[in-house]
Amino acid sequence: MAKPIPKTKIGSRKNGRIGSRKHARKIPKGVIHVQASFNNTIVTVTDVRGRVISWSSAGTCGFKGTRRGTPFAAQTAAGNAIRTVADQGMQRAEVMIKGPGLGRDAALRAIRRSGILLKFIRDVTPMPHNGCRSPKKRRV
C-alpha cells in the first residue's frame, strides 16, 4: 500500500511561501478611498471585498508640517497610490471621498487623470444630526 502524501498549507514555512508571490494579482475592479482632513490626505485603494492593495498619504510622500494639507500634496499621494494598482491591471474603480480637507478635489483630479474609468464618486463624509433623543424626565 502506498503512503499518503502529507498535506501542507499553502502559506506554511515548509514550502517557502510566507509573504512573497511570484506574480502580482490581477485586479480589474476596485474602490479608491480618499480621506481628506485639514492636516493630511490619505488615499487607500482596495479590491471590491475591502482588502487593501495600495495606500499612500501626503506624509509618506515626504511632505511635512502644514504642507501635508495642501492640494498639491494630496495630488501627489493619489498619484502614488494609483500608480501601483494601475500596474496590477485595475481598469474600473469607485471613489469614496470623506472629510472636509483641501485635498478632496486635487486627489479626485489626479484619479481622473490616471486613466482608470470611474463608476461613481460618492461623498461619505459623516454628518452630525444632534444625536439621539434624550430620555424623558424622571418623575418621583
Side-chain angles (χ1 to χ4, degrees):
M1 188 168 146
K3 289 183 179 180
I5 300 170
K7 293 182 179 178
T8 58
K9 294 180 181 176
I10 293 173
S12 68
R13 294 180 191 272
K14 291 180 182 176
N15 58 9
R17 280 190 51 202
I18 296 173
S20 62
R21 293 180 182 258
K22 289 185 179 176
H23 54 83
R25 290 179 286 186
K26 296 291 179 192
I27 300 143
K29 262 195 316 194
V31 183
I32 302 169
H33 300 271
V34 179
Q35 182 183 357
S37 68
F38 291 118
N39 296 322
N40 203 354
T41 302
I42 303 169
V43 181
T44 308
V45 183
T46 66
D47 60 1
V48 289
R49 290 179 60 187
R51 296 177 295 193
V52 175
I53 302 163
S54 171
W55 70 274
S56 182
S57 71
T60 59
C61 293
F63 294 94
K64 291 185 179 179
T66 55
R67 290 175 51 208
R68 285 187 309 185
T70 61
F72 178 69
Q75 179 181 340
T76 309
N80 283 357
I82 290 173
R83 193 178 307 124
T84 57
V85 293
D87 295 339
Q88 293 181 9
M90 184 177 285
Q91 295 146 358
R92 293 186 306 275
E94 305 167 356
V95 180
M96 307 283 192
I97 299 177
K98 180 190 276 190
L102 299 171
R104 297 166 53 107
D105 300 328
L108 183 59
R109 243 179 260 124
I111 293 167
R112 272 254 164 88
R113 270 205 319 262
S114 68
I116 294 175
L117 296 173
L118 301 181
K119 190 175 178 184
F120 63 80
I121 301 163
R122 181 174 290 166
D123 187 7
V124 290
T125 305
M127 299 297 281
H129 59 85
N130 284 342
C132 301
R133 183 175 172 186
S134 58
K136 287 170 74 173
K137 194 95 167 171
R138 186 170 174 260
R139 293 186 295 186
V140 180

